[in-house]
Amino acid sequence: MGTASFTPVTVGPVTLRNRYVRAGANEMMTTGCLPSRSLLAFHERLARGGVGMTTLSYIAVSRDGRTFSEQGVMTPEAVPHYKAVTDAVHAHGAKASAQITHAGSFVQHDELSTKRAWTADRGLDILGISRGRPFLHSMTPADMDKITTEFVQAAELCRDAGFDAVEIHMGHGYLLNQFISPLSNHRKDEYGGSAENRARFPAQVASAVKAAVGKDLAVIAKINLHDGVKSGATVDDAIVTAKVLEAAGIDMLVLSGGRNIESSWALFHSPLPYADLKKVQTGWAAALQFFVLELTTPKTAVFRELYFLEAARRVRASVGCGLAYVGGLLSRKDADALIEEGFDAVVMARALVHQPDLVNQFSDGRAERSSCISCNRCVATMYTPEALNCPVINNALPQEWNTVPAAA
């Protein structure tokens, strides 16, 4: 058996003990916009389980950048609570990354400080119509400068909180991806049109974050290899985006795909557990959303391992910056092969929800592949009081832990 996936790797100023990274996949483990004790225990379990780095997902750079009302926000008040999490991760020899994001138009609460949600282009606010926000605000260059400053300030607070890396979320339909994707960007100025222009604002954010914290933290970006839907961004667009971000100084790209509304199935390359989701998310708005998601899920969407590999290989052949592969990785054999092929790290989500100690199992020979069946039922558990867990083996943390801030 190969050993490539267990060799150290340096990303920017940070060295990971191995090539396994826990993906920035939403845990829903925050309380009052602060990380909870559940979030601490969840990531401590992963660090103890052997990952080289674990990613705390979906931390908003401002209150207006939230998708959900309770979503974590990187503020000075939050720093000691995130520091408690990073301390717990470091105690087991792993590194900690903070995925920082702005929802843009993907807002599912009523607490915006503006009349309209900000995004790349004007149009109808599908998620805001029921909340009295029927239209979107097309961001101006001054707006972009404001959001860039928010990303920089959040990254600086991440450094204060003891993180080793920041991952700027540029995929899946959030604000920066709303600029990159032709599904949401129809601008006629220098921020629209060509793939280079659509990547201009995300690159501005990456460059500013790199200048602010790059000497201390690895600066990573998650991008879409493709949007997974007709008229969306393609692999050719992803290659351009990767080149633009490489020029902006990014240390590593995490290569994902799909959009939350138009093609959520593409993130997992298989249907979501709609029956489970309907049980935990009720109301007409949720019912409408699930109807649309089911309608747009191809009948041929059947899980297969390494489902993004062909597209990721094209990006690997086009840029020299660090690249992390994500998408359907279940075995140590494939992890070793990906590293030997030229990817710098492998990123896992569902398999590590199912088996938090999977990396240790790979290392000591207890397992050669994950027993995760890729059923996606863990997605529905995010919306339950226990938050993210694997319902197949019921490894949920005590639900009361998710009501207590991490450093309390």
Side-chain angles (χ1 to χ4, degrees):
M1 184 178 293
T3 60
S5 62
F6 282 95
T7 58
V9 62
T10 297
V11 184
V14 176
T15 299
L16 313 185
R17 62 185 174 186
N18 60 48
R19 308 299 182 100
Y20 292 92
V21 177
R22 188 267 174 180
N26 200 0
E27 309 96 347
M28 293 290 273
M29 294 177 180
T30 52
T31 179
C33 300
L34 300 173
S36 71
R37 185 179 298 173
S38 288
L39 192 70
L40 187 156
F42 182 88
H43 287 280
E44 183 178 32
R45 190 159 64 179
L46 288 161
R48 188 170 59 244
V51 296
M53 183 164 70
T54 186
T55 309
L56 278 67
S57 79
Y58 212 44
I59 306 171
V61 298
S62 67
R63 288 187 62 82
D64 280 348
R66 293 170 297 159
T67 293
F68 307 107
S69 180
E70 291 283 302
Q71 182 180 337
V73 183
M74 186 54 72
T75 61
E77 294 75 21
V79 166
H81 299 283
Y82 282 111
K83 183 66 163 57
V85 181
T86 61
D87 283 348
V89 169
H90 292 153
H92 296 282
K95 303 298 184 185
S97 176
Q99 183 189 73
I100 54 177
T101 186
H102 193 295
S105 63
F106 198 63
V107 179
Q108 299 184 30
H109 60 81
D110 300 311
E111 301 167 14
L112 278 181
S113 66
T114 56
K115 292 182 179 180
R116 298 183 178 186
W118 289 8
T119 187
D121 207 354
R122 64 175 62 89
L124 286 177
D125 185 345
I126 303 301
L127 295 176
I129 289 174
S130 64
R131 295 177 166 85
R133 300 191 312 263
F135 301 107
L136 296 167
H137 169 76
S138 179
M139 288 174 60
T140 66
D143 297 330
M144 295 178 210
D145 289 342
K146 179 180 184 297
I147 297 298
T148 299
T149 298
E150 290 179 351
F151 270 95
V152 168
Q153 291 173 340
E156 290 171 339
L157 291 172
C158 289
R159 179 175 55 196
D160 295 342
F163 284 99
D164 306 283
V166 287
E167 179 184 290
I168 307 169
H169 204 334
M170 300 184 181
H172 301 172
Y174 303 113
L175 177 63
L176 298 181
N177 183 253
Q178 289 160 25
F179 275 81
I180 293 171
S181 175
L183 292 172
S184 46
N185 185 346
H186 307 99
R187 298 173 71 108
K188 305 300 182 183
D189 62 4
E190 66 269 32
Y191 295 98
S194 68
E196 290 92 343
N197 282 357
R198 286 183 272 118
R200 188 183 301 272
F201 173 48
Q204 173 183 317
V205 171
S207 180
V209 170
K210 177 72 173 181
V213 302
K215 291 182 180 179
D216 305 308
L217 307 183
V219 179
I220 302 167
K222 174 178 276 189
I223 66 170
N224 277 7
L225 286 163
H226 54 73
D227 288 344
V229 64
K230 186 178 180 180
S231 301
T234 65
V235 182
D236 289 332
D237 293 327
I239 291 171
V240 172
T241 299
K243 289 180 176 179
V244 171
L245 292 173
E246 181 178 34
I250 210 75
D251 294 316
M252 187 164 72
L253 298 173
V254 176
L255 304 174
S256 187
R259 300 250 298 185
N260 281 322
I261 295 179
E262 297 90 347
S263 54
S264 60
W265 67 272
L267 278 73
F268 312 98
H269 211 272
S270 53
L272 290 172
Y274 296 113
D276 287 3
L277 284 165
K278 289 173 184 177
K279 292 177 183 178
V280 296
Q281 285 190 291
T282 58
W284 71 267
L288 178 61
Q289 181 181 2
F290 296 141
F291 172 76
V292 172
L293 290 177
E294 287 187 87
L295 196 66
T296 56
T297 300
K299 303 300 181 185
T300 56
V302 178
F303 177 81
R304 63 181 174 87
E305 295 182 42
L306 305 182
Y307 49 83
F308 282 141
L309 182 54
E310 292 85 356
R313 281 172 169 158
R314 290 189 58 194
V315 177
R316 176 70 292 172
S318 303
V319 296
C321 63
L323 293 184
Y325 177 82
V326 61
L329 173 65
L330 292 175
S331 72
R332 175 175 175 176
K333 177 182 177 182
D334 283 339
D336 287 329
L338 285 164
I339 303 306
E340 290 168 356
E341 186 173 330
F343 293 95
D344 299 271
V346 291
V347 182
M348 307 174 80
R350 287 168 288 184
L352 291 175
V353 173
H354 179 69
Q355 291 163 278
D357 65 340
L358 179 62
V359 178
N360 280 345
Q361 291 187 36
F362 283 169
S363 178
D364 62 24
R366 282 177 291 151
E368 294 184 4
R369 63 183 292 110
S370 172
S371 56
C372 173
I373 59 174
S374 306
C375 64
N376 299 335
R377 290 180 60 201
C378 54
V379 177
T381 68
M382 292 192 307
Y383 303 99
T384 66
E386 291 86 2
L388 182 61
N389 69 87
C390 177
V392 174
I393 60 173
N394 190 24
N395 63 357
L397 296 161
Q399 69 180 65
E400 61 269 19
W401 288 10
N402 209 28
T403 64
V404 181

